């Protein structure tokens, strides 16, 4: 792409791209960038694609945009099928109009293309689908609020995720109780020398006392010694059995946690600590069903809380990815490793992938070197179907009525289904509106000032560019194709 720099008069340090050495030879012209509409995938992020399988894993397949009208005056959108991306004027007898991007990329590879960049664009009001995670609740560490419902978001905006269903199953592993004893309400000594990884920070333990009382003990830290481990919890929760009679109003007003869980107050007096009769490690399995694509993905052995290496809020990103999974006769995708490079790249690739995903969701500029660890993680995380949990708080996640059998699959509520915001075809969808506020009124001499503004926005303000302008500083891109710009238009 053409690089134009402008003098900056403000004081400061700027990290600008290196100047190119002039040459009389033509640059390579075989690397193309495609900008258009896709069923799913990241927005305004140039993604390097080298085969059609990778494109379909990240950006999906055919994407219906609108239906043509056979007769005038029909404006009802009540009967719009689920596979249509937005509320458009429709007629059941009209021809369905699909995005041109998938078939254009397919033709590129079918005719010998080897390398291209894909930029997906959508409307500004596009949203992701949210699905409630059954059998789980979230509580503030200090117990100041009532338990909250837990939701999982789709990895990218659009109606593509309206067909996703989630189901959970509690996985219980009983541990030898004679190896554990309570030092106090928030500390357990564990005598173990042969299986130190059975319990990790972030694991959840269910303690049963001799009197039948049950506690939930989220392990927040572990102190290791030669033959003993000290398990510590910042908060411990007592499981309350619901009672038939209601409590007085004055008593209910003082409770911050409903009857299901009550916080155990710290008590360091050894004689007042109850005796353990049973101890279990609690984890869970998550079943992801896609009704449209007819496949299932099972994510096993998930931990409830961070900083566990199997923390569900981070592991669901990479492990909901179709890449690295082989289709079976039953139409399911068994659990397999994405690749040896992915596993060996980081001690905890799920955590690194979740961090990178959150960075991609921000407005900040992101540069990914072709030889960096992020590149090996990129296609895996971009093809994931579920987004990692937002890390803006330190909630404690606990099972609430989660069964040892899979729950009935749950879909998103109608108000939580994502949108593509493509109700209207407009040239601004393909452009950065900060750089081009008026797409239909651009002067012929605007190229130099536009590139100067793009350089300032990208390198000085450290902000990402949108639409086709996101390709401005990718040197190897020689051609840009916008296959969805030639649609007839719709309202």
């Amino acid at each position: 792409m053409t690089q134009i720099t402008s003098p900056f008069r403000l004081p400061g340090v700027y990290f600008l791209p290196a100047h190119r050495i002039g040459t009389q030879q033509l640059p390579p012209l075989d690397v193309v960038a495609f900008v258009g509409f896709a069923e799913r995938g990241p927005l305004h992020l140039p993604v390097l694609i080298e085969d059609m399988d990778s494109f379909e894993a990240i950006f999906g397949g055919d994407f219906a945009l609108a239906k043509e009208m056979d007769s005038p005056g029909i404006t009802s959108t009540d009967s719009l099928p689920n596979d249509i991306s937005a509320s458009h004027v429709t007629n059941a007898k009209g021809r369905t109009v699909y995005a041109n991007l998938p078939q254009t990329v397919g033709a590129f590879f079918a005719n010998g293309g080897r390398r291209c960049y894909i930029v997906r664009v959508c409307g500004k009001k596009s949203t992701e689908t949210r699905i409630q995670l059954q059998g789980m609740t979230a509580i503030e560490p200090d117990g100041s609020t009532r338990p909250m419902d837990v939701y999982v978001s789709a990895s990218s905006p659009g109606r593509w995720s309206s067909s996703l269903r989630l189901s959970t199953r509690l996985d219980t592993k009983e541990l030898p109780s004679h190896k554990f004893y309570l030092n106090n309400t928030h500390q357990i000594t564990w005598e173990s020398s042969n299986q130190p990884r059975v319990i990790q920070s972030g694991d959840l333990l269910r303690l049963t006392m001799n009197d039948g009382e049950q506690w939930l003990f989220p392990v927040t830290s572990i102190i290791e010694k030669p033959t003993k481990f000290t398990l510590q919890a910042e908060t411990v929760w007592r499981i309350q059995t619901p009672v038939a009679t209601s409590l007085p109003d004055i008593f209910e007003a003082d409770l911050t946690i409903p009857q299901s869980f009550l916080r155990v107050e710290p008590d360091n007096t050894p004689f007042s600590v109850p005796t353990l009769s049973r101890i279990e490690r609690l984890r869970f399995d998550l079943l992801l069903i896609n009704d449209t694509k007819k496949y299932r993905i099972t994510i096993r052995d998930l931990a409830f809380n961070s900083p566990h290496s199997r923390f569900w809020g981070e592991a669901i990103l990479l492990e909901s990815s179709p890449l690295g999974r082989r289709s079976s006769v039953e139409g399911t995708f068994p659990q397999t490793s994405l690749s040896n490079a992915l596993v060996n790249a980081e001690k905890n690739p799920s955590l690194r992938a979740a961090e990178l995903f959150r960075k991609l969701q921000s407005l900040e500029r992101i540069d990914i070197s072709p030889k960096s660890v992020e590149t090996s993680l990129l296609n895996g995380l971009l093809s994931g179907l579920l987004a990692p949990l937002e890390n803006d708080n330190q909630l404690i996640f606990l099972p609430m009525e989660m069964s040892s059998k899979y729950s009935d699959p749950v879909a998103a509520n109608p108000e939580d289904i994502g949108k593509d915001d493509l109700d209207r075809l407009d040239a601004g969808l393909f452009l950065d509106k900060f750089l081009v506020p008026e797409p239909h009124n651009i002067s012929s001499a605007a190229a130099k000032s536009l590139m100067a503004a793009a350089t300032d926005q990208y390198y000085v303000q450290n902000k990402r560019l949108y639409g086709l302008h996101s390709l401005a500083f990718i040197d190897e891109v020689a051609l840009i194709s916008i296959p969805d710009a030639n649609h007839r238009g719709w309202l």
Side-chain angles (χ1 to χ4, degrees), residues 19-90:
H19 290 283
R20 297 189 189 89
I21 300 175
T23 176
Q24 298 296 324
Q25 298 179 354
L26 288 174
L29 299 177
D30 59 343
V31 179
V32 184
F34 297 97
V35 182
F37 305 135
E39 182 183 33
R40 55 180 296 260
L43 295 177
H44 310 289
L45 177 72
V47 180
L48 178 61
I49 297 295
E50 296 182 334
D51 56 71
M52 197 59 192
D53 289 341
S54 297
F55 175 87
E56 292 177 349
I58 297 174
F59 294 99
D62 290 335
F63 178 42
L65 296 172
K67 276 183 176 290
E68 291 185 339
M69 295 170 53
D70 278 356
S71 59
I74 299 177
T75 58
S76 174
T77 59
D78 296 336
S79 60
L80 191 67
N82 289 332
D83 61 344
I84 303 299
S85 63
S87 300
H88 301 103
V89 175
T90 183

Side-chain angles (χ1 to χ4, degrees), residues 148-212:
M148 298 167 282
D149 293 334
V150 179
Y151 287 86
V152 176
S153 296
S155 58
S156 59
R159 287 185 59 90
W160 67 270
S161 48
S162 63
S163 61
L164 296 183
R165 308 287 188 271
L166 295 180
S167 176
T168 57
R169 181 182 73 87
L170 188 64
D171 181 19
T172 305
K173 179 180 179 62
E174 185 175 359
L175 304 175
S177 58
H178 65 277
K179 295 287 186 179
F180 298 83
Y181 61 89
L182 282 170
N183 298 336
N184 53 60
T185 55
H186 289 60
Q187 191 178 86
I188 300 175
T189 295
W190 172 30
E191 297 179 353
S192 176
S193 58
N194 55 354
Q195 290 183 318
R197 303 298 292 174
V198 171
I199 301 176
Q200 303 176 39
S201 296
D203 264 321
L204 181 64
L205 304 179
R206 181 166 62 192
L207 314 179
T208 304
M209 311 304 174
N210 285 337
D211 59 0

Side-chain angles (χ1 to χ4, degrees), residues 127-359:
T127 59
E128 297 86 2
T129 295
R130 293 198 322 152
I131 309 174
Q132 186 176 354
L133 199 58
Q134 294 294 304
M136 186 181 294
T137 188
I139 299 178
E140 295 284 353
D142 60 358
S144 59
T145 59
R146 294 182 179 275
M148 298 167 282
D149 293 334
V150 179
Y151 287 86
V152 176
S153 296
S155 58
S156 59
R159 287 185 59 90
W160 67 270
S161 48
S162 63
S163 61
L164 296 183
R165 308 287 188 271
L166 295 180
S167 176
T168 57
R169 181 182 73 87
L170 188 64
D171 181 19
T172 305
K173 179 180 179 62
E174 185 175 359
L175 304 175
S177 58
H178 65 277
K179 295 287 186 179
F180 298 83
Y181 61 89
L182 282 170
N183 298 336
N184 53 60
T185 55
H186 289 60
Q187 191 178 86
I188 300 175
T189 295
W190 172 30
E191 297 179 353
S192 176
S193 58
N194 55 354
Q195 290 183 318
R197 303 298 292 174
V198 171
I199 301 176
Q200 303 176 39
S201 296
D203 264 321
L204 181 64
L205 304 179
R206 181 166 62 192
L207 314 179
T208 304
M209 311 304 174
N210 285 337
D211 59 0
E213 190 173 85
Q214 288 189 326
W215 295 0
L216 290 179
F217 189 98
V219 180
T220 53
S221 63
I222 300 177
I223 302 175
E224 298 187 15
K225 296 180 179 179
T227 58
K228 294 182 179 180
F229 296 86
T230 301
L231 312 178
Q232 296 179 320
E234 293 182 0
T235 56
V236 179
W237 304 93
R238 181 182 291 112
I239 302 176
Q240 297 295 299
T241 304
V243 293
T245 58
S246 59
L247 297 174
D249 294 339
I250 186 172
F251 184 71
E252 289 182 353
D254 294 334
L255 282 177
T256 56
I257 298 298
Q259 292 181 338
S260 298
F261 300 109
L262 287 177
R263 185 176 177 182
V264 177
E265 297 301 326
D267 188 350
N268 295 322
T269 307
F271 300 103
S272 63
V273 178
T275 305
L276 277 174
S277 66
R278 181 184 176 91
I279 182 167
E280 301 161 291
R281 187 197 68 188
L282 304 183
R283 295 183 184 173
F284 73 100
D285 300 336
L286 178 65
L287 177 62
L288 172 63
I289 303 173
N290 190 323
D291 291 344
T292 302
K293 303 296 183 181
K294 305 299 181 184
Y295 66 72
R296 301 182 175 205
I297 294 176
T298 303
I299 308 176
R300 302 186 185 279
D301 200 36
L302 292 173
F304 281 89
N305 294 294
S306 178
H308 200 286
S309 59
R310 298 285 305 158
F311 173 46
W312 72 270
E314 294 164 349
I316 58 174
L317 173 61
L318 281 180
E319 297 193 29
S320 64
S321 167
L323 291 179
R325 302 175 184 273
R326 296 181 179 179
S327 178
S328 67
V329 177
E330 293 81 9
T332 61
F333 288 81
Q335 185 83 26
T336 61
S337 171
L338 290 175
S339 67
N340 291 332
L342 176 60
V343 173
N344 296 329
E346 291 275 339
K347 185 178 180 180
N348 186 357
S350 294
L351 173 61
R352 186 68 189 98
E355 292 174 349
L356 181 57
F357 182 91
R358 296 182 186 111
K359 188 173 182 180

